[in-house]
Every structure is written in structure tokens, then in C-alpha cells.
Amino acid sequence: METGPAAWLDALDRDAVRRRQAGLRRELRPRAAGDGVVDLAGNDYLGLSRHPAVLAAAGEALTRYGLGATGSRLVRGSTEVHAALEARLAGLLGTGGALVYSSGYLANVGAVRALAGPGTLLVSDAYNHASIVDGCRGSRAEVVVAPHADVAAIERALAGRGGRRAVVVTESVFSVDGDLAPLADLHAACRRRGALLLVDDAHAVGVLGPSGAGAAAAAGLTGEPDVVVTMTLSKAFGAAGGVVAGPAALVAGLVDTGRTFIYDTALPPAVAAGALAALDLVRDGEDLRAELSDRAALVGKRLVGHQVSEPAAGVVSVAVATPAQALAWADDCRRRGVAVGCFRPPSTPDGRSRLRLTINVGVPRAVFENALDIIAECGP
Ligand SMILES: Cc1ncc(COP(=O)(O)O)c(C=O)c1O
């Protein structure tokens, strides 16, 4: 076999050609500030990323603290903004404590690794986000990937665990199809079998539940001692950063030993301050949530003849026959000023392609409805 840099570069080129032929190339398209594109691709569900109160709070903290956190909070110190954000998040989610990470990805990896290690059984939903999958892989626990949302299969896996600790991990609102995990039933199964339940509430906090406290809260799991919640500040909060929320002792353990917290530069204080301001808007956002739910339900009515998912929150998926068709549809929409998500393998858990529309109530209603017409016109 040929070795050396030339052979390596050839192999990279051949792989790229294979991906292009399979319709699996990904393109980084330029995004201009104020490009006027209707955003039905991002996760700014409540339109808070540009809310004046959020920008003002972030701007003020930017001036006080500078651009970056300049180090981890253990090394560089923990700002009052981080502490206030964590206290308020624990209050919203009804947990003993909360710890903020620089991303939801790192919060998930940190949470899974904190709950599971060698000698633990981890039961993970087949449709879980890559960050959960990576947490599972890095945990060195035995991982059983259970069929999607199949409580009976999950309970069967738990029954076979012997004397080991067991953890069930699931998203609440699934990021690709937008369906909701059967959280109450999963928790009941965990209780029966003495397992912990880890819920990634990334797409539900701000969108579902009392005061936007998320799907775990909506399922009545607030404060349950065997439930740990993760979330991201990058979606309904319009900011960035991740959160692990659970008993205070778990948070203390993460600060002492959690590698994705300890060895990572902290969330920039300005982002934390923006997220803190967003939290008030999330809490008081019942009207925004009602509008979001109304818009999500409208998608299926407008995209007649397409296979549109039943949305549980702000994620709506539209099945497309092939990756190439999905790409062409999303490209046509973009040319006409509407950004939609285009999900193809390997980003889809079942190997099928979809368009993903995410509702953003920051988009004026008439513009949103017009965007749905454009999507319908561009469809295969
Ligand atoms: C379900 C889910 N969990 C975790 C994440 C990671 O969050 P972040 O983007 O803040 O890293 C995402 C999306 O990005 C997600 O969709």
C-alpha cells in the first residue's frame, strides 16, 4: 500500500468524490449579516437571539468582562453572571443545581460520563443526538441502543442488567423528527427497575412545559431524584452554551471531576448574561409558545401531499425520497430566500432524508406563511 502525504491526499479526494456521488457533500454557504433570509433552519424558536433586552444585557457584560472567558471557571474564576444564570436555571427546571457548559454538546458528553462508567449499563434511544452517542461511546459503559421510543424494549434491557447501575438516556423532543419521547412511561420503567433517567431537553426548554420549563417538567418529572436534565442555551434562549441540571451533589461532582467542564474555557460571560436576560423572556413567553405551536401545526396543512411529521414542539420534518432530492429542494428554497434544514445520512438516524423546518416566532406571521407557500412550490 502506498503511504505518505500524496497517497493520503488522494484518498481524501476519492472519499470526497464518493460523498458527492452519493449526494452527501456538505457545503458551508456564506451567511451575510442581515441577509433577509427567512430562518426556518436554525433553532431560535422564540426569536430571542436578537431581542433588544438580550442584546443589551450581553453588550453590557461584553464591556465589563471582555470577549472571552479567558479560561475555565476553575482556573480563571467564576463570574457572578454564571452563578446567577445557574441559580435561575435550577429554579426554572426545579432541580437542586445546574452547571453551565460552553455548549450543549459538552453538557451531554459530561452528563453521560458522570452517570455511567465501566460497570454501568447505558440504554440509549436509537435516535439520540450525536453528543449523547459520543458521551455513551466515551463512557466505557456497556451501551444498549434501544429501538426509538420503545419503552418495552428499554425495560427489557434494564431487566437484564444484573446488579449493575443502569441509566436510560433519551432526547425529549427529537431533533430530527420533532416527536416527543414517552417521558412519563420511561420514568416509570426506570423507577420499577431502579435506573436513572437522563433527558436531553434541548428542543423543549422554552417551548414546552410550565413557564417553558421543558418536556421533563411537562411530564411531571420536576424534582424527581432519579432524573437528570440537560439542555442547551443555543436554541429557545437564542444564545449558546449547555446545561446539566440535577441534584446539587451531581453538580458538585461535575465541578470536581467532569472533564468537559474542567478542561474547557468557560462560556463567555457576555453570552451567559444574554442567556440570563433570555430566561426572563422564556419564563413569561406563554404567548410566544402558543404562536409557535400554532405555526408548527400549520406546516402540514400547507405542504399538502407531503409526508409531514406531527410536531410535538417547534421541529417539523418532511420526508424526502433521496438525499439528492432533499438537497435540491432545500437549495431551491434558499434561492427564493427561505432557509430550511436539509437532513441526510449520516445525520438521520434511520438513513432517510428529510427537510427539517424549525419554527421561529421572531419571523413575522405573514412572512412565515409566505415561506410555507415557497417551500410547497419548490417541492418535488
Ligand atoms: C438534541 C440536541 N442535543 C444537544 C445539542 C447540542 O447543543 P449545542 O449546539 O449547544 O452544542 C443539539 C444541537 O445542537 C441537539 O439538537
Side-chain angles (χ1 to χ4, degrees):
M1 196 176 80
E2 264 193 73
T3 55
W8 176 60
L9 292 173
D10 280 350
L12 289 179
D13 285 341
R14 279 196 305 276
D15 286 347
V17 167
R18 265 197 292 274
R19 289 195 301 274
R20 182 176 299 115
Q21 285 166 347
L24 298 178
R25 278 307 294 277
R26 299 175 194 265
E27 202 186 326
L28 286 169
R29 291 190 198 81
R31 168 180 161 183
D35 57 5
V37 167
V38 181
D39 175 19
L40 301 181
N43 300 110
D44 191 10
Y45 293 119
L46 304 183
L48 299 185
S49 73
R50 290 173 180 276
H51 192 285
V54 171
L55 298 186
E60 199 255 335
L62 190 64
T63 308
R64 279 173 61 212
Y65 290 102
L67 181 59
T70 75
S72 81
R73 284 160 67 193
L74 287 165
V75 169
R76 190 56 192 88
S78 184
T79 73
E80 60 188 7
V81 186
H82 289 95
L85 178 60
E86 288 172 344
R88 294 287 309 283
L89 284 165
L92 178 73
L93 301 173
T95 53
L99 190 67
V100 168
Y101 289 70
S102 66
S103 76
Y105 187 102
L106 292 178
N108 269 346
V109 171
V112 174
R113 288 199 196 163
L115 300 183
T120 307
L121 175 70
L122 254 175
V123 185
S124 175
D125 188 287
Y127 285 17
N128 275 340
H129 189 260
S131 54
I132 298 175
V133 174
D134 290 354
C136 290
R137 287 178 183 161
S139 71
R140 289 180 290 152
E142 183 198 338
V143 181
V144 171
V145 177
H148 178 51
D150 188 338
V151 181
I154 288 170
E155 192 157 7
R156 273 197 302 280
L158 292 177
R161 78 177 209 263
R164 291 176 293 172
R165 176 200 281 197
V167 180
V168 173
V169 55
T170 184
E171 290 181 42
S172 57
V173 172
F174 282 86
S175 55
V176 176
D177 276 340
D179 55 321
L180 182 62
L183 292 178
D185 291 347
L186 282 174
H187 182 243
C190 286
R191 236 339 127 75
R192 279 193 294 276
R193 301 290 173 182
L196 298 176
L197 178 62
L198 175 58
V199 179
D200 176 0
D201 232 356
H203 292 273
V205 177
V207 178
L208 299 179
S211 304
L221 305 185
T222 304
E224 292 292 355
D226 47 3
V227 175
V228 173
V229 172
T230 61
M231 59 166 283
T232 172
L233 299 164
S234 66
K235 302 192 190 299
F237 281 62
V243 183
V244 179
L250 171 72
V251 172
L254 288 167
V255 172
D256 285 343
T257 65
R259 297 171 68 83
T260 63
F261 177 77
I262 297 170
Y263 300 107
D264 184 48
T265 296
L267 184 72
V271 179
L276 189 54
L279 196 145
D280 285 333
L281 300 160
V282 162
R283 187 199 51 205
D284 300 335
E286 292 311 332
D287 291 351
L288 299 176
R289 282 185 275 284
E291 175 66 15
L292 182 138
S293 150
D294 193 58
R295 289 191 193 188
L298 194 62
V299 177
K301 293 182 194 134
R302 290 294 180 91
L303 299 188
V304 179
H306 291 285
Q307 205 183 316
V308 179
S309 69
E310 198 71 55
V315 178
V316 191
S317 99
V318 186
V320 188
T322 65
Q325 253 180 19
L327 199 57
W329 192 357
D331 281 348
D332 284 350
C333 290
R334 188 173 288 270
R335 267 191 287 279
R336 294 190 53 192
V338 180
V340 297
C342 175
F343 279 58
R344 298 161 290 157
S347 302
T348 55
D350 55 5
R352 289 183 299 140
S353 298
R354 301 150 169 86
L355 289 197
R356 187 185 76 169
L357 278 55
T358 38
I359 308 301
N360 176 347
V361 297
V363 172
R365 175 82 187 208
V367 174
F368 170 69
E369 293 199 17
N370 185 48
L372 290 184
D373 291 341
I374 291 173
I375 296 167
E377 285 160 25
C378 294

